Structures are given as C-alpha cells and as structure tokens.
Amino acid sequence: MALLIMLLFLAKGLLDKGCSFTEVSKDTVNTTELIAKLITQGNDIVDGIEKMFAAIDGSCSLLLLHKDGLYAARDRLGYTTLTIGKNENSIAVTSETCAFVNNDLKIDKYLQPGEIVLIAEDGLQQKRAGGKESQVCAFLWIYTGFPASNYEGINTEVVRERCGRFLARRDKDLDVDIVSGVPDSGIAHAIGYAMESGKPYRRPLVKYTPGYGRSYTPPTQETRDLVAKMKLISIEEIINGQKIIVCEDSIVRGTQLKNFTVKKLLDSGAKEIHVRPACPPLMFPCKYNLSTRSINELSARKAIKSIEGSDIEDVSEYTDHTSEKYKKMVDWIAKDIEVNSVKYQTVDDMVSAIGLEKEKLCLYCWTGKCPTSEGACCKKSSCAASK
Ligand code: SF4
C-alpha cells in the first residue's frame, strides 16, 4: 500500500508538470516509465538520476542503456547493491555477484550508495561518487540473496552459517538429536547451528527437485499452498522418534511452516520440534519496494492482536527481546505453529552475523526504524520511527 501511495504521489507530481504516461493500469502507472520520466526532469542523465534518487524513498538501483554506454547507479541509501566485475576483455555489472563466477569475471568494485558510473568503450568512468550513508537491506544475507553472492564484500552463505552459530550459542542446554534447515535458505543457517552445537546436520525434508520454486511468489493462496505442499518430501527413517532443530530464514505468516513443514515432521513421527528463525520477528512490511507482505498477515502481528485483543500502534515492547510481552508473543507463535519451542535471532546477533555496522543496515522489517541521521530519515507519517 505504501508503495502504491508513493507511485501515485510521484505520478501526480509529473502529471502536474505536463508529463503523460503511455501505460496506466489498475489506477497506477508503469514503474519503469515513471522512473524514466523522473530522470528526464534532469539537465542531463546524471542530474536526472540524482533527481530521481531524491524523489524515491526506497530501492531503485538501476542500469540504463544510453548512447554513451551503460550507466549503473546504486540507489541513494544503497538498499539494493550493484557490483562491477571485470576480466581482460569485459566489464559487467550485477546485483548478484554469483553471476561473475562461471563467466570468469572478478569482482572489481562494489558501488557505494548513490554512486553513478558509466561503462563505455574506453572503460569505466565514475560520474558521481557515493555517499557515506548506507541502508543496505539486511534481508539479502538472511533470505533473499543467493548463497554464492557477495554484498558489500560479505558472502551470503558465510553469513547464514554465522547466523546458525549465534542461534546455537543461545541453546546451550537444549537436548536435541539432529539439526535441520528448511530448504533452501534455511540450510546454511542449520549447517552453522550444527557446526557450533556439535549435533549432526541431517535432512529430514528434501526438495522434490533442487529447482522447485519459492512458494510465496505465486499470485493465489491456492497455488502457494500447492507449491508448499509439493516441494518438500519428508524422510520418515530420519524423522521418527527424533528431537529436531528446524532452522528457517524467517517466519512471515507462519502458515506454510505450520501446515506443511511441521505437519510433515509430525506425521513422520518427530518427537520434538524446535524452530529457530535466523532473524528476529518480522513486525513491519518492507516499505522500500523489496517485498510484498502486508502488516496484518505477519505472524508476530497476529500474536500481538491475540494478546492485546486488538491491533496496537506502539509495538516497542514486542520488539524488545528481553521484555515479558516479547516472550508472550513468541510463546503464542510456538503454540500456533504447534512446535515445542521457537527462539528467534536477536537484532544484535543478526547484525554481528552480517558483519556490517548496524547504522549501515536497513533493519526496518524488525525495528520499524528509519535511518536516523539528519536528511536521510523519510519523516513520513507511514513510518513507525516518525511517530
Ligand atoms: S524493510 Fe526489510 S526488506 Fe525492506 S529494505 Fe529494509 S530490511 Fe530489506
């Protein structure tokens, strides 16, 4: 909803200046056309990209093919990364550095937030230096990024292993038989957990085929459920009678975890199930154009509504992992998904696992806080931090 409001606000500003849009559907405009129109408001391409960056509150890193060459520009606060790769004959740019490996390209440079470069026949030219402020999306390392990709010089798989290690350190007294991860993104978290705890890593659930799609992307709930049901197959010989750690990247709605993952483990005779999400409870949907969740469907919000009797505005007690209310919320979620325990990663452990300074990461999903430095905060009424 926040994204739609921002699109309409930007489109109205352009319409008021006499711009027109060729593609309008469902009361909104084509986002690529909107970005292009914003860029044309500048005196030249670089000025136009900067004007567009100033207008957009969120992720809008881009590649722009122009008669001068290829412009690559990372958004103002660097929510989405862009990286330059090189070999003797070529220069390439990508958001996922795994694309370089099999194409014999080496990472040459991570673009800084707000940095603009031009890749032309005579090589790479910097058109604008990057800024110091950064709000790179922490979810890249936790869930959305590809394991073989590096962002800001930090590899995703390695971060996930560190997340698992942090989770295991908080479980010193827990007696379990095996450690597992929900494929695919939970696997590296589980491997880290197993390495730290010394408990065996096993695969009670395997994917039907390695390439089976993500189950949250199909447009209807029916198709999402079908994908979730079919993609994982349980192995009773590994599960029966076992006390199992299940590492997961995150709990969004909790419905697929409950209805498919946990159910399959219980149906195959699991003795105990302990869920360990690699990030804290998701409290706020992304408002920077990187995900499509709505606030009411988040598992933590459902728990809060049940505990409080209605939706509440101020959830600060629930984001504090030392508070009683936080504990109640987590217990509610464990009961709801029918497992023996849930223990979330803390914000500080997640940040330590990533290895960047906290101030450089977007943590809005978990904290509801915008960048705090002067000028970077959106100060919009939709933002929890501005309340
Ligand atoms: S709100 Fe969440 S998903 Fe969106 S950029 Fe921030 S950390 Fe990433």
Side-chain angles (χ1 to χ4, degrees):
M1 179 56 82
L3 175 63
L4 184 61
I5 291 168
M6 184 171 78
L7 283 178
L8 294 174
F9 175 77
L10 292 170
K12 182 171 182 320
L14 289 167
L15 288 167
D16 290 348
K17 287 182 184 166
C19 286
S20 60
F21 290 91
T22 54
E23 213 177 293
V24 180
S25 63
K26 287 189 187 161
D27 299 328
T28 186
V29 294
N30 178 308
T31 49
T32 306
E33 189 180 7
L34 177 72
I35 295 293
K37 290 274 158 79
L38 286 169
I39 293 172
T40 60
Q41 302 298 299
N43 301 321
D44 55 36
I45 290 286
V46 173
D47 183 49
I49 292 173
E50 287 187 324
K51 283 200 164 71
M52 180 274 291
F53 279 169
I56 301 255
D57 180 25
S59 168
C60 53
S61 296
L62 60 83
L63 301 182
L64 193 155
L65 193 57
H66 185 261
K67 65 180 171 50
D68 298 339
L70 182 71
Y71 283 92
R74 186 169 171 197
D75 59 59
R76 191 170 54 93
L77 294 177
Y79 291 101
T80 310
T81 61
L82 280 180
T83 307
I84 306 288
K86 276 187 183 171
N87 63 21
E88 262 179 40
N89 308 311
S90 322
I91 302 177
V93 58
T94 184
S95 56
E96 294 289 329
T97 63
C98 57
F100 293 157
V101 181
N102 289 348
N103 287 300
D104 302 322
L105 290 145
K106 293 266 180 251
I107 292 170
D108 178 64
K109 175 184 173 53
Y110 294 94
L111 290 195
Q112 298 301 304
E115 185 170 359
I116 305 173
V117 296
L118 172 65
I119 301 166
E121 258 183 82
D122 52 354
L124 185 80
Q125 302 162 30
Q126 188 187 56
K127 293 290 184 181
R128 279 287 180 276
K132 288 209 169 71
E133 283 177 315
S134 162
Q135 286 292 288
V136 58
C137 173
F139 236 138
L140 282 170
W141 289 278
I142 303 301
Y143 173 50
T144 53
F146 193 73
S149 282
N150 289 15
Y151 313 104
E152 317 293 53
I154 302 171
N155 175 260
T156 305
E157 180 83 353
V158 171
V159 168
R160 290 179 188 169
E161 287 181 0
R162 283 201 290 259
C163 279
R165 284 184 179 276
F166 277 107
L167 287 168
R169 281 176 208 156
R170 290 182 182 268
D171 266 347
K172 286 231 173 338
D173 299 327
L174 187 64
D175 173 32
V176 291
D177 300 308
I178 64 171
V179 179
S180 69
V182 180
D184 288 316
S185 45
I187 288 177
H189 300 297
I191 290 171
Y193 190 111
M195 288 193 296
E196 185 70 22
S197 65
K199 301 284 178 189
Y201 168 73
R202 300 196 78 186
R203 297 197 302 158
L205 299 162
V206 291
K207 249 180 152 180
Y208 182 62
T209 66
Y212 220 99
R214 285 180 166 172
S215 48
Y216 80 99
T217 42
T220 66
Q221 189 59 44
E222 203 183 358
T223 318
R224 284 200 289 269
D225 287 350
L226 183 63
V227 174
K229 177 170 189 279
M230 296 308 292
K231 78 172 181 181
L232 293 180
I233 304 176
S234 54
I235 304 175
E236 193 174 339
E237 288 78 357
I238 290 182
I239 299 166
N240 196 13
Q242 299 293 290
K243 294 184 255 178
I244 306 172
I245 287 282
V246 178
C247 291
E248 176 65 300
D249 49 77
S250 55
I251 299 179
V252 183
R253 302 173 186 87
T255 42
Q256 290 190 359
L257 185 62
K258 172 181 175 173
N259 296 338
F260 303 104
T261 311
V262 170
K263 183 171 185 313
K264 285 176 189 196
L265 292 171
L266 290 174
D267 288 351
S268 296
K271 191 172 173 191
E272 288 180 19
I273 302 172
H274 301 273
V275 172
R276 296 295 179 263
C279 68
L282 291 163
M283 288 283 180
F284 300 88
C286 176
K287 60 174 194 165
Y288 303 115
N289 197 17
L290 289 174
S291 108
T292 54
R293 302 177 288 268
S294 80
I295 196 159
N296 292 329
E297 61 190 352
L298 296 175
S299 177
R301 291 292 184 154
K302 285 189 271 177
I304 293 169
K305 187 173 181 182
S306 170
I307 293 163
E308 298 285 342
S310 63
D311 291 319
I312 56 168
E313 286 258 320
D314 179 3
V315 292
S316 50
E317 279 187 272
Y318 289 97
T319 56
D320 171 5
H321 75 276
T322 62
S323 76
E324 269 307 304
K325 290 213 165 172
Y326 175 92
K327 189 176 173 313
K328 269 192 189 169
M329 173 185 72
V330 176
D331 288 347
W332 188 96
I333 293 169
K335 199 166 166 211
D336 184 55
I337 57 177
E338 295 170 20
V339 296
N340 298 80
S341 75
V342 173
K343 201 182 274 182
Y344 286 88
Q345 191 81 280
T346 66
V347 172
D348 285 346
D349 281 355
M350 179 177 71
V351 170
S352 299
I354 292 170
L356 276 181
E357 292 157 53
K358 196 172 186 177
E359 297 66 35
K360 289 188 181 295
L361 289 164
C362 177
L363 302 169
Y364 179 82
C365 281
W366 304 281
T367 64
K369 291 192 177 132
C370 280
T372 48
S373 56
E374 184 91 6
C377 181
C378 70
K379 296 193 172 66
K380 287 183 180 154
S381 55
S382 58
C383 172
S386 67
K387 291 191 174 115

